[in-house]
Amino acid sequence: MGPHPAVAAIRLAVRRVLHDVIAEHAEQTERAGHAPHPELARAGGGSRLGTLPDRPGTPLVLVACSGGADSMALASALAFEARKLPVRAGGITVDHGLQDGSDTRAAEVAARLTAMDLGPVEAVAVHVGREGGPEAAARDARYAALDAAAERHGAAAVLLGHTRDDQAETVLLGLARGSGIRSLSGMAAASGPAGRYRRPFLQLDRQTARTACLAQSLPVWDDPHNIDPAYTRSRLRHEGLPALEKALGKGVVEALARTAQLSRDDADALDTWAAAADRDVRDDAGRLECAKLYALPPAVRRRVLRRAAIEAGSPAGSLFARHIEEVDRLVTGWRGQQAINLPGRVEALRQGGRLVIRQS
């Protein structure tokens, strides 16, 4: 008898990502002029290689595990699939220090990952600041810790347990912010430096991950923050989405996830167009020419303006649609306006038919 359908689904999702990581690692190794691990070309051929950390020449994949159902299901699938492939598998759990006993809980998660034969395994404590609100601050601290762990261990990829439900929530949060099509595109299957972060479960729902944990008798920790109405995502999860499904019927989560993919495809195409247009709207000195900017479609022009603001030092995470709209008016609605102040002490102003975006 084969594995439970939910277990089979999560393993297949992880296997596909591991094959991508292995293929990319082999290509990078060959470009660097080194001989790849002899099993890399036969990835998926059934050899049981184990997950020992002393197998040189094979890529290391880490799983970010909080101890919740999604990440525990992900960790178990990684441990299972890595035994059959030329890949090493480890785990990282982050202690945000926001609850009593969080250090003990992180140690317990690390012990469970070690019991799965993952290695290296680390429990990393972080300090969560206040900038951007509690959810954003915790996320920033978590990703900083994961980035540092990936660099420290030379990991080729870090797996994250975001599901289709998480994607739907992200789309709705982006819609509420009114930040444009990029916000509606949700989370990418691969993101971060060189595609470091991989999300195998974006096509699977949260219940599948939980069912897989039950089928394998995996202990699961339910974070009380996930049901705390003080957090926006928690309210959306337990109040907003159920209300939408009640009003619109089942299938809202799937539709939102599909919207994310369609929006991402459109946003990627517009970004590519904007990158090409950026070269064509500058004079010989590299300054933006307002007449050429004006001739661009609004969606492309605003992307060019956003790129310029970020290059001048404006933090991408603090640069919102309203900022770009104000800069855009210097091009499309010029009435002698003063300079526009942007995050990061950047200013945008119009001078002699040129748009200047610089540090103030």
Side-chain angles (χ1 to χ4, degrees):
M1 179 182 297
H4 187 283
V7 176
I10 65 169
R11 288 177 178 175
L12 176 60
V14 169
R15 189 183 317 143
R16 287 170 172 165
V17 169
L18 291 182
H19 276 290
D20 290 341
V21 172
I22 291 166
E24 292 163 12
H25 180 78
E27 183 178 347
Q28 292 169 3
T29 300
E30 290 178 4
R31 281 204 305 266
H34 303 301
H37 189 284
E39 290 289 346
L40 287 177
R42 301 197 297 275
S47 61
R48 301 192 63 83
L49 299 172
T51 58
L52 297 177
D54 60 349
R55 285 158 43 206
T58 58
L60 171 65
V61 176
L62 300 175
V63 58
C65 185
S66 67
D70 302 341
S71 59
M72 285 298 292
L74 182 60
S76 70
L78 173 62
F80 180 85
E81 294 297 329
R83 297 188 188 102
K84 304 183 292 181
L85 297 170
V87 63
R88 293 173 292 140
I92 301 292
T93 186
V94 178
D95 171 18
H96 297 84
L98 298 177
Q99 302 169 28
D100 292 339
S102 63
D103 54 343
T104 300
R105 192 173 302 110
E108 290 173 352
V109 173
R112 290 169 189 167
L113 297 178
T114 301
M116 293 179 183
D117 289 332
L118 296 177
V121 169
E122 282 189 350
V124 181
V126 299
H127 170 72
V128 177
R130 296 185 177 182
E131 187 174 353
E135 292 168 283
R139 182 177 61 249
D140 290 346
R142 179 167 60 254
Y143 276 101
L146 294 176
D147 278 334
E151 294 291 340
R152 187 162 56 250
H153 295 291
V158 178
L159 304 189
L160 304 176
H162 297 122
T163 64
R164 186 170 62 191
D165 301 81
D166 296 307
Q167 185 74 298
E169 294 161 8
T170 301
V171 172
L172 285 176
L173 289 170
L175 183 63
R177 288 194 299 268
S179 300
I181 194 171
R182 179 55 74 183
S183 286
L184 298 183
S185 65
M187 296 175 286
S191 65
R196 168 179 292 160
Y197 295 109
R198 309 295 175 104
R199 298 176 175 87
F201 290 175
L202 286 183
Q203 301 302 318
L204 300 176
D205 60 25
R206 190 174 288 139
Q207 188 56 45
T208 297
R210 185 168 289 275
T211 300
C213 289
L214 290 172
Q216 299 173 97
S217 300
L218 293 175
V220 169
W221 174 67
D222 290 314
D223 187 346
H225 283 174
N226 289 336
I227 58 173
D228 187 343
Y231 295 95
T232 303
R233 188 177 284 269
S234 175
R235 294 195 303 273
L236 180 60
R237 179 175 302 176
H238 297 287
E239 300 173 22
L241 270 172
L244 282 175
E245 291 199 331
K246 182 178 180 180
L248 303 175
K250 295 292 184 181
V252 170
V253 168
E254 292 86 343
L256 288 169
R258 188 163 58 251
T259 295
Q261 185 57 59
L262 294 172
S263 298
R264 180 167 297 280
D265 291 343
D266 290 348
D268 288 345
L270 287 168
D271 285 347
T272 300
W273 187 353
D278 184 86
R279 298 187 294 270
D280 298 331
V281 297
R282 295 180 182 271
D283 62 17
D284 292 340
R287 297 172 299 181
L288 292 166
E289 298 189 62
C290 292
K292 292 180 179 179
L293 284 168
Y294 185 87
L296 292 174
V300 178
R301 181 175 61 246
R302 288 170 183 158
R303 279 169 166 75
V304 172
L305 298 178
R306 179 177 173 82
R307 284 167 55 93
I310 293 172
E311 288 173 0
S314 193
S318 302
L319 195 61
F320 301 132
R322 67 177 184 272
H323 296 127
I324 302 304
E325 288 170 2
E326 290 297 319
V327 177
D328 195 40
R329 289 191 186 98
L330 295 177
V331 177
T332 63
W334 173 242
R335 297 291 186 274
Q337 299 100 310
Q338 297 298 311
I340 306 298
N341 294 318
L342 301 174
R345 299 178 61 84
V346 172
E347 65 175 8
L349 65 157
R350 181 163 172 158
Q351 292 180 337
R354 305 291 192 272
L355 187 67
V356 179
I357 301 178
R358 65 191 182 192
Q359 284 284 328
S360 60

